[in-house]
């Protein structure tokens, strides 16, 4: 993180706020640079003859520094305004924040301006119909996927773009799916509406160079075959660690990882810190154990040896003090999002962690709870602070900061015996009611609430201390439009910020989560469904054929963004895989353990981690997985190895375990392989026990074979690997590839990786 850049930005912001307001037009036509608009009087700013060679987007920026900007429907910090290809005169009205987008003067063939406004674009102006030749008719092809609170998919046409009364037809026109619309610009009437057409109304866009970008938007029309291109069709290089897909992320439960400074163990409430730690009973597992930022700094060399290039830390912000003998050791009971929790360290240590990580080429990922603060029924009752100054709590709040709608699935009554399980799948309930008893922030729908601005500004403060990415806790339960605003705000500071969220159960096959993902909210999602399928496959509960089918379903479900989703095997909300594989007792989600020996369980877990490290997605390693960590105590619900017993102290920092060496080898491969970072997934051989696949990007290819069955030999063909002799990066196998074929001699529970 370039702190001098942030300091300069802050200085410029302070300077510009003292100057007279000027208005700037930003958009895709000028790479979002600030072009000053003309003041033409009557509260009107003008940008004339603005050329869009392809369809794009714009916004209006008051100061030229994004501190006050307006988008669709005149909303501050609103969505980008769509603009069709052409040359336009663009007006912005400083008093109403409305705007007009009209064709630049053309005395020969003057064209009408018809704005298509409907449920497909939130009824925003700026989506212009295209003239058909020199006729009076105009057309548009748009995809209407949903309605709004007032009805189903529909639209109107607004000639002025200002709802001045000339819009037509009088009643909203109905649309469905891909809809072709033809209107007459002379008579202001609809000519035809054709619904439920194929993609792009059945017309495949021309793509002359075959790079996947239509000629109409391809700014580099002669891209070489097989090249990696950007959204404009231009070839891009694949440098090492060019984005998070080249990285391997390590999820650290900071309090349970390493104690680098025992002097901060007791914090402000010594009763919430354990002296016996794992030797004590359940109550001791719910207290602080002493892990801190200094301990993480002390172990960075270990993590570097593991191949880790991004570290996801549990929330570091200040948590409640008044918690009786319980401890907020996990970090999810926040009270002051602008301060570092005293058990973990201070801002100086955060800065030191950042500097030490940057020196190793690592990125810092901060877990942030944008959904809630702390409990509403005990302890500090939702108390919220900013830099030590009290703001509110649930009892004093009048609805400005928090929702007061009861808990999800509580049926709106005080009887704990009654539940309404359907609320967990009802969007209004799971975004506007309390998740268990955690005080629920009141997020704005169209603009930032007080809580929204508080959280955005807190995130930006953490970025100024080195945070490079965010993991959003309980993202399912947050107003989705706020996720858009949050992601836009932090990326205005650093465009490369990586953001992902926890939607419990998300993944291909879970429709609500995939709808959210494909709405382009600015956040990826942890892939729980892939995790479940990997674990089921290595446990023998599903076949490798079934696992492969799920892997292949991800691209379609995720809009081809599967390589951007964090993928994992273990985490802090699930029984560790190795515990599930070894125990014969009950674990999470009503399951019973498999009863494997430790040796077999470790081997199968290593198979699972090999898949996590090589499949499309960003591999995420839960602390201790490289040591095959386990704990076999049952929690208060009778679940063996589940919360809090999946949050054990780090068992070892050995660098010689088979799991450590496997993860290290594959993390180092990912760091320099475009194929693993963003390449295609191609199944090459599969049966009940064996899966062989290749990842391919350009000339780079990686072959992975996993075998959960007995020793066998198979002949694999159609390989993209060049002919030659290969040594597996995992284990000691040597494999000869000739004519795209190879014989793989697979031992029981073996992994072979060729590059």
């Amino acid at each position: 993180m370039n702190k001098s850049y942030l300091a300069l930005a802050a200085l410029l912001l302070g300077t510009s706020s003292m100057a007279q307001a000027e208005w700037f037009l930003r958009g895709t036509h000028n790479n979002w640079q600030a072009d000053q608009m003309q003041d033409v009087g009557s509260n009107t700013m003008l940008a004339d003859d603005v050329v869009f060679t392809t369809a794009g987007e714009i916004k209006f920026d008051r100061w030229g520094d994004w501190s006050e900007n307006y988008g669709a429907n005149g909303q501050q910090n609103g969505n980008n305004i769509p603009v069709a290809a052409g040359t336009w005169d663009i007006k912005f009205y400083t008093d109403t924040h409305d705007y007009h987008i009209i064709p630049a003067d053309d005395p020969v063939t003057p064209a009408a301006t018809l704005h298509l406004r409907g449920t497909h674009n939130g009824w925003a102006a700026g989506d212009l119909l295209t003239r058909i030749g020199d006729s009076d008719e105009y057309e548009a092809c748009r995809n209407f996927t949903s309605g709004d609170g007032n009805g189903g998919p529909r639209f109107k046409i607004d000639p002025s773009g200002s709802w001045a009364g000339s819009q037509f037809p009088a009643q909203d026109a109905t649309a469905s799916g891909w809809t072709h619309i033809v209107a007459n610009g002379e008579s202001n009437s609809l000519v035809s509406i054709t619904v439920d057409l194929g993609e792009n109304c059945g017309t495949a866009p021309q793509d002359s160079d075959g790079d996947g970008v239509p000629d109409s938007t391809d700014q580099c029309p002669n891209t070489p075959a097989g090249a990696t291109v950007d959204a404009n069709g231009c070839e891009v290089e694949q440098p090492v660690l060019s984005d998070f897909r080249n990285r391997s992320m390590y999820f650290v439960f900071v309090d349970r990882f390493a104690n680098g400074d025992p002097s901060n163990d007791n914090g402000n409430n010594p009763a919430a810190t354990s002296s016996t730690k794992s030797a004590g009973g359940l109550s001791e597992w719910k207290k602080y154990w002493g892990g801190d930022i200094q301990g993480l700094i002390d172990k960075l060399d270990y993590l570097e040896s593991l191949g880790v290039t991004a570290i996801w830390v549990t929330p570091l912000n200040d948590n409640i003090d008044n918690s009786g003998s319980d401890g907020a050791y996990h970090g999810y009971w926040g009270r002051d999002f602008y301060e570092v929790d005293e058990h973990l360290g201070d801002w100086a240590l955060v800065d030191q962690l950042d500097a030490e990580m940057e020196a190793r080429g690592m990125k810092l990922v901060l877990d942030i709870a944008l959904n809630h603060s702390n409990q509403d029924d005990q302890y500090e009752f939702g108390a919220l602070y900013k830099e030590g100054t009290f703001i509110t709590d649930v009892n004093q709040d009048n609805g400005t900061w928090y929702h007061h709608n009861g808990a999800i699935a509580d049926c709106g009554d005080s009887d704990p015996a009654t539940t309404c399980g359907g609320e967990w799948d009802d969007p209004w309930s799971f975004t506007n009611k309390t998740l268990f008893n955690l005080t629920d922030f009141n997020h704005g729908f169209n603009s930032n609430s007080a809580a929204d601005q508080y959280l955005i500004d807190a995130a930006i403060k953490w970025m100024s201390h080195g945070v490079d990415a965010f993991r959003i806790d309980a993202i399912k339960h947050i107003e989705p439009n706020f996720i858009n605003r949050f992601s836009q705000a932090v990326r205005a500071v650093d465009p490369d910020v990586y953001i992902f969220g926890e939607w419990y159960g998300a993944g291909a096959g879970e429709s609500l989560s995939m709808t959210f993902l494909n709405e382009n909210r600015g956040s990826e999602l942890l892939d729980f469904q892939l995790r479940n399928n990997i674990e089921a496959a290595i446990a023998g509960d599903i076949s490798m054929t079934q696992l492969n089918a799920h892997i292949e379903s991800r691209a379609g479900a995720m809009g081809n963004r599967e390589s951007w989703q964090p993928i994992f095997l273990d985490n802090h909300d699930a029984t560790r895989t190795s515990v599930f594989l070894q125990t014969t007792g009950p674990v999470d989600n009503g399951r019973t353990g498999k009863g494997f020996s430790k040796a077999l369980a470790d081997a199968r877990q290593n198979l699972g981690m090999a898949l996590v490290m090589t499949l499309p997605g960003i591999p995420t390693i839960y602390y201790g997985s490289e040591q095959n960590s386990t704990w076999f105590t049952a929690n208060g619900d009778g679940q063996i190895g589940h919360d809090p017993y999946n949050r054990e102290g780090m068992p070892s920092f050995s660098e010689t375990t088979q799991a450590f060496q496997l993860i290290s080898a594959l993390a180092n491969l990912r760091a320099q392989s475009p194929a693993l970072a963003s390449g295609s997934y191609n199944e090459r051989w599969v049966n009940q026990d064996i899966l062989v696949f290749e990842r391919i990007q350009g000339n780079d290819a990686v072959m992975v074979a996993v075998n959960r069955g007995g020793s066998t030999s198979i002949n694999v063909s159609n390989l993209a690997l060049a002919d030659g002799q290969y040594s597996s990066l995992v284990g000691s196998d040597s494999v000869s590839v000739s004519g795209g074929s190879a014989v793989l001699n697979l031992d029981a529970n073996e992994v072979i990786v060729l590059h």
Side-chain angles (χ1 to χ4, degrees):
M1 179 65 63
N2 189 333
K3 297 183 183 65
S4 61
Y5 167 80
L6 291 172
L8 176 59
L11 177 61
L12 292 175
L13 176 59
T15 303
S16 64
S17 64
M18 294 183 291
Q20 182 177 0
E22 297 174 340
W23 289 93
F24 300 84
L25 180 69
R26 295 177 180 262
T28 54
H29 67 293
N30 65 358
N31 292 319
W32 296 100
Q33 299 303 304
D35 287 345
Q36 189 166 6
M37 303 181 73
Q38 306 171 47
D39 187 347
V40 295
S42 301
N43 298 312
T44 304
M45 308 301 294
L46 170 68
D48 59 351
D49 296 325
V50 180
V51 177
F52 277 77
T53 57
T54 61
E57 298 174 324
I58 60 169
K59 275 191 143 181
F60 301 97
D61 182 358
R62 183 176 187 181
W63 302 102
D65 60 10
W66 290 117
S67 61
E68 181 180 347
N69 65 87
Y70 295 86
N73 295 320
Q75 291 294 315
Q76 186 170 359
N77 299 317
N79 293 332
N80 297 341
I81 302 163
V83 180
T87 302
W88 310 102
D89 288 343
I90 300 174
K91 293 182 178 180
F92 179 77
Y93 304 99
T94 59
D95 53 343
T96 64
H97 304 147
D98 200 0
Y99 47 86
H100 280 163
I101 303 170
I102 57 178
D105 291 339
D106 183 352
V108 179
T109 55
T113 303
L114 301 178
H115 296 251
L116 182 63
R117 306 176 77 154
T119 56
H120 70 296
N121 66 354
W123 299 93
D127 186 2
L128 300 180
L129 278 73
T130 302
R131 190 175 189 178
I132 302 175
D134 293 330
S135 71
D136 293 327
E137 293 188 349
Y138 295 74
E139 65 177 355
C141 173
R142 301 290 186 269
N143 191 14
F144 289 79
T145 58
S146 62
D148 58 21
N150 296 317
R154 61 198 194 284
F155 67 90
K156 278 184 182 291
I157 297 176
D158 181 5
S160 68
S162 62
W163 292 123
S166 57
Q167 58 269 17
F168 63 94
Q171 300 298 320
D172 294 348
T174 301
S176 177
W178 283 98
T179 300
H180 184 243
I181 301 164
V182 179
N184 189 293
E186 178 68 20
S187 62
N188 283 354
S189 62
L190 282 175
V191 175
S192 65
I193 306 172
T194 309
V195 301
D196 294 323
L197 296 169
E199 186 172 357
N200 296 313
C201 296
T203 303
Q206 187 172 356
D207 179 13
S208 301
D209 58 1
D211 62 358
V213 179
D215 290 349
S216 60
T217 58
D218 195 339
Q219 297 181 17
C220 300
N222 298 309
T223 307
T228 301
V229 299
D230 59 20
N232 297 318
C234 299
E235 187 173 4
V236 295
E237 297 294 330
Q238 289 286 335
V240 174
L241 301 180
S242 58
D243 57 44
F244 257 76
R245 294 177 294 178
N246 274 112
R247 296 184 180 275
S248 297
M249 184 158 52
Y250 191 87
F251 177 20
V252 174
F253 220 92
V254 179
D255 177 69
R256 302 293 161 91
F257 189 63
N259 189 344
D261 181 9
S263 70
N264 62 23
D265 288 1
N266 286 333
N268 296 329
N269 178 14
T273 297
S274 175
S275 58
T276 57
K277 301 178 184 176
S278 62
L282 178 63
S283 62
E284 299 304 306
W285 282 72
K286 294 184 177 181
K287 298 181 179 183
Y288 288 96
W289 284 9
D292 50 28
I293 296 170
Q294 184 61 58
L296 178 56
I297 292 171
D298 294 344
K299 298 301 180 183
L300 288 178
D301 287 345
Y302 166 83
L303 295 177
E304 186 175 23
S305 295
L306 185 59
V308 168
T309 47
I311 301 175
W312 158 16
V313 294
T314 43
L316 303 179
N317 61 276
D318 186 36
N319 273 235
I320 60 172
D321 297 329
N322 180 19
S323 58
S325 60
D326 278 351
Y329 70 96
H330 41 67
Y332 299 106
W333 294 350
R335 72 201 290 263
D336 193 333
F337 287 68
Y338 290 73
E339 294 295 340
V340 182
D341 192 272
E342 75 278 4
H343 295 88
L344 306 179
D346 54 24
W347 284 116
L349 269 180
V350 175
D351 292 341
Q352 183 182 346
L353 174 64
D354 170 46
E356 296 272 7
M357 288 179 63
E358 283 193 1
R360 294 168 171 83
M362 296 176 173
K363 296 292 186 182
L364 178 59
V365 184
L366 180 68
D367 205 322
I368 188 167
L370 303 180
N371 176 67
H372 58 263
S373 58
N374 50 82
Q375 295 95 323
D376 61 8
D377 59 350
Q378 62 178 337
Y379 303 144
E380 297 191 10
F381 297 94
L384 190 67
Y385 295 75
K386 181 176 181 181
E387 295 177 337
T389 300
F390 177 79
I391 296 175
T392 192
D393 61 29
V394 72
N395 297 315
Q396 299 182 49
D397 176 59
N398 62 3
T400 298
W401 290 86
Y402 293 129
H403 286 135
H404 298 265
N405 299 318
I408 303 169
D410 68 358
C411 302
D413 59 35
S414 59
D415 182 358
T418 59
T419 59
C420 301
E423 289 192 343
W424 290 104
D425 294 315
D426 172 56
W428 186 90
S429 297
F430 64 62
T431 56
N432 290 280
K433 300 185 76 173
T434 300
L435 179 61
F436 303 116
N437 62 337
L438 296 168
T439 312
D440 197 57
F441 283 125
N442 180 12
H443 298 296
F445 185 80
N446 291 319
S447 59
N448 285 333
S449 66
D452 293 345
Q453 199 60 54
Y454 171 92
L455 294 165
I456 288 171
D457 291 344
I460 292 173
K461 179 175 182 178
W462 283 94
M463 291 172 68
S464 73
H465 288 275
V467 167
D468 304 288
F470 292 97
R471 180 265 192 184
I472 301 176
D473 182 61
I475 198 170
K476 173 180 178 178
H477 303 281
I478 301 170
E479 165 55 46
N481 289 336
F482 171 58
I483 301 301
N484 287 81
R485 298 192 299 273
F486 177 85
S487 61
Q488 290 166 4
V490 298
R491 289 192 174 114
V493 176
D494 180 0
D496 294 326
V497 169
Y498 176 61
I499 302 172
F500 63 101
E502 175 221 20
W503 183 303
Y504 194 82
E510 204 291 312
S511 60
L512 287 174
S513 63
M514 293 299 92
T515 297
F516 173 92
L517 184 65
N518 286 296
E519 288 172 340
N520 297 319
R521 299 287 180 180
S523 173
E524 316 301 340
L525 295 177
L526 283 154
D527 195 334
F528 283 80
Q529 293 298 322
L530 179 61
R531 175 244 176 249
N532 294 344
N533 277 268
I534 292 174
E535 186 179 73
I538 63 177
D541 292 335
I542 66 171
S543 68
M544 287 294 183
T545 302
Q546 291 171 294
L547 173 61
N548 176 67
H550 180 80
I551 295 168
E552 291 181 334
S553 75
R554 296 175 69 231
M558 297 174 175
N560 295 314
R561 288 192 62 79
E562 71 276 16
S563 65
W564 284 97
Q565 311 313 307
I567 60 177
F568 65 101
L569 191 58
D570 286 337
N571 78 352
H572 60 313
D573 289 324
T575 299
R576 285 189 184 263
T577 295
S578 192
V579 172
F580 165 62
L581 294 176
Q582 292 183 58
T583 187
T584 57
V587 292
D588 56 0
N589 298 317
R591 302 181 302 159
T592 300
K594 304 298 294 185
F596 292 176
S597 67
K598 174 174 170 49
L600 177 57
D602 286 353
R604 291 289 181 87
Q605 183 183 21
N606 293 349
L607 285 185
M609 286 307 301
L611 290 167
V612 167
M613 299 301 297
T614 56
L615 286 173
I618 298 172
T620 304
I621 307 145
Y622 188 43
Y623 81 103
S625 293
E626 74 277 19
Q627 306 295 337
N628 300 116
S629 186
T630 55
W631 201 273
F632 292 97
T633 303
N635 65 12
D637 295 320
Q639 301 165 318
I640 295 173
H642 194 35
D643 181 6
Y645 296 111
N646 53 0
R647 305 169 180 185
E648 65 269 39
M650 185 68 177
S652 169
F653 292 95
S654 169
E655 299 184 15
T656 61
T657 66
Q658 185 176 359
F660 183 100
Q661 294 176 350
L662 177 144
I663 291 171
S664 176
L666 298 180
N668 289 324
L669 173 61
R670 176 172 284 268
Q672 50 89 34
S673 169
L676 280 193
S678 56
S680 62
Y681 172 87
N682 306 273
E683 175 264 308
R684 298 303 189 204
W685 206 100
V686 66
N687 70 2
Q688 180 170 329
D689 292 325
I690 298 170
L691 174 60
V692 182
F693 61 89
E694 280 188 304
R695 304 288 312 284
I696 304 168
Q697 179 69 279
N699 295 323
D700 189 47
V702 175
M703 189 216 76
V704 180
V706 292
N707 175 30
R708 74 175 187 195
S711 298
T712 188
S713 294
I714 61 173
N715 192 314
V716 180
S717 57
N718 297 318
L719 292 173
L721 289 171
D723 289 354
Q725 195 73 22
Y726 292 82
S727 295
S728 176
L729 300 179
V730 177
S732 58
D733 281 61
S734 180
V735 178
S736 176
V737 176
S738 178
S741 296
V743 174
L744 302 181
N745 298 308
L746 288 159
D747 293 334
N749 301 305
E750 185 182 14
V751 178
I752 295 176
V753 180
L754 309 180
H755 179 233

